Amino acid sequence: QQPVQSPQAVILREGEDAVINCSSSKALYSVHWYRQKHGEAPVFLMILLKGGEQKGHDKISASFNEKKQQSSLYLTASQLSYSGTYFCGTATGTASKLTFGTGTRLQVTL
Amino acid sequence: DAGVIQSPRHEVTEMGQEVTLRCKPISGHDYLFWYRQTMMRGLELLIYFNNNVPIDDSGMPEDRFSAKMPNASFSTLKIQPSEPRDSAVYFCASSLGLAGAYEQYFGPGTRLTVT
C-alpha cells in the first residue's frame, strides 16, 4: 500500500520554512526521501533507518517516528532551488523493495 | 561515473508497435529497477533484478510487458504491442542493495507516447 504524503502541494516565499509528512499503514524499516524537478529524474536526499534517528544536511532535515510509521521532511530558509516534487519511499524490511508516496509539490517564489 | 544511462530519451510510436527501452546501470551496482511514472498512478515499480536475475515482476502490468538483463551492464524493457495507456515516463534505477538501507540512483527516464 502506498504511503500518504501531506500536504499535496505548498507554495512558499524564499526564506520560509516547510514541513512535508509521510505516513504509512505498515511497520517500516526505513524511509527514503527524493526530490524530483520538472522533467528530471528523482534525486536521492536521505535515508532514515528504524531507530527514530534524525538526519539532515544543509537546511534540509528529516525525522522518523517508527512507532507512528511516520516521517517528516523539514526545509528551513527555503531557496528557489528547493522547488520540485518531494517523494517519500518506504521499505518494510532490509530486503524489501521501495514503495513511493503520492508526492508533495513544493514551489518557492521570490 | 556517468550515472544510470537510458535510451531513448523520448519515444513516440503508434498503437500496436513494439517499443524497447534500454538501460545501463552504474557499474558495480547489483540491483536494477524499472519504474513507470504517470500523473494518475505516481511512481510504480515494475520489476527489479539482482545480479541480472529477475527477482520480483509483480508490478509488470500485463504480458505485453517484458524485461531482460543479459549482463551486468545492460537491461531492456519491451512493450509489445504498445497501447495508448502505456504512455508514461519510464525510469531505470540502480543500487548497491535493496531498499532497506541503500539509495537508488535514477536514470533520466524515457518519455513514451503511444498514439
Side-chain angles (χ1 to χ4, degrees), chain A residues 15-18 46 55-62 73-79 82:
Chain A
E16 292 182 336
D17 301 340
M46 64 187 79
K55 272 195 174 182
H57 59 86
D58 198 10
K59 293 173 183 161
I60 300 176
S61 62
L73 185 71
Y74 307 94
L75 301 99
T76 58
S78 59
Q79 307 167 14
Y82 286 4

Side-chain angles (χ1 to χ4, degrees), chain A residues 3-5 20-24 28-36 42-50 53 55 57 60-65 69-74 85-104, chain B residues 31 33 35 43 93-106:
Chain A
V4 177
Q5 291 183 231
I20 299 172
N21 300 302
C22 174
S23 180
S24 174
L28 299 177
Y29 177 78
S30 66
V31 179
H32 301 220
W33 286 96
Y34 288 77
R35 178 172 61 206
Q36 184 178 28
V43 174
F44 170 77
L45 294 176
M46 64 187 79
I47 294 178
L48 299 103
L49 301 180
K50 186 176 179 180
E53 65 176 283
K55 272 195 174 182
H57 59 86
I60 300 176
S61 62
S63 63
F64 176 24
N65 185 327
Q69 316 308 330
Q70 292 176 350
S71 177
S72 295
L73 185 71
Y74 307 94
T85 300
Y86 289 78
F87 292 96
C88 68
T90 57
T92 55
T94 57
S96 77
K97 52 193 178 184
L98 206 57
T99 302
F100 282 95
T102 48
T104 296
Chain B
Y31 287 83
F33 307 84
Y35 288 92
L43 201 56
S94 70
S95 72
L96 289 170
L98 271 176
Y102 293 92
E103 63 264 39
Q104 295 181 13
Y105 295 85
F106 283 77

Side-chain angles (χ1 to χ4, degrees), chain B:
Chain B
D1 200 318
V4 177
I5 299 172
Q6 290 186 248
S7 65
R9 294 293 308 275
H10 301 273
E11 177 80 36
V12 180
T13 190
E14 292 183 348
M15 182 173 63
Q17 297 297 308
E18 178 180 294
V19 175
T20 299
L21 311 181
R22 297 172 177 79
C23 175
K24 176 180 168 55
I26 293 172
S27 177
H29 281 191
D30 292 333
Y31 287 83
L32 183 139
F33 307 84
W34 281 101
Y35 288 92
R36 178 172 68 176
Q37 187 175 39
T38 61
M39 288 295 293
M40 290 295 293
R41 300 174 70 93
L43 201 56
E44 304 174 274
L45 178 65
L46 301 177
I47 184 171
Y48 76 88
F49 295 82
N50 175 215
N51 291 325
N52 314 337
V53 177
I55 303 299
D56 185 344
D57 65 355
S58 59
M60 296 285 262
E62 300 171 33
D63 291 344
R64 299 184 295 106
F65 286 70
S66 62
K68 294 182 180 180
M69 192 165 185
N71 57 62
S73 60
F74 183 66
S75 177
T76 59
L77 178 68
K78 187 176 292 187
I79 308 172
Q80 166 64 19
S82 58
E83 297 182 2
R85 58 189 167 132
D86 301 331
S87 297
V89 180
Y90 291 82
F91 288 104
C92 173
S94 70
S95 72
L96 289 170
L98 271 176
Y102 293 92
E103 63 264 39
Q104 295 181 13
Y105 295 85
F106 283 77
T110 295
R111 182 173 295 275
L112 174 65
T113 303
V114 183
T115 61

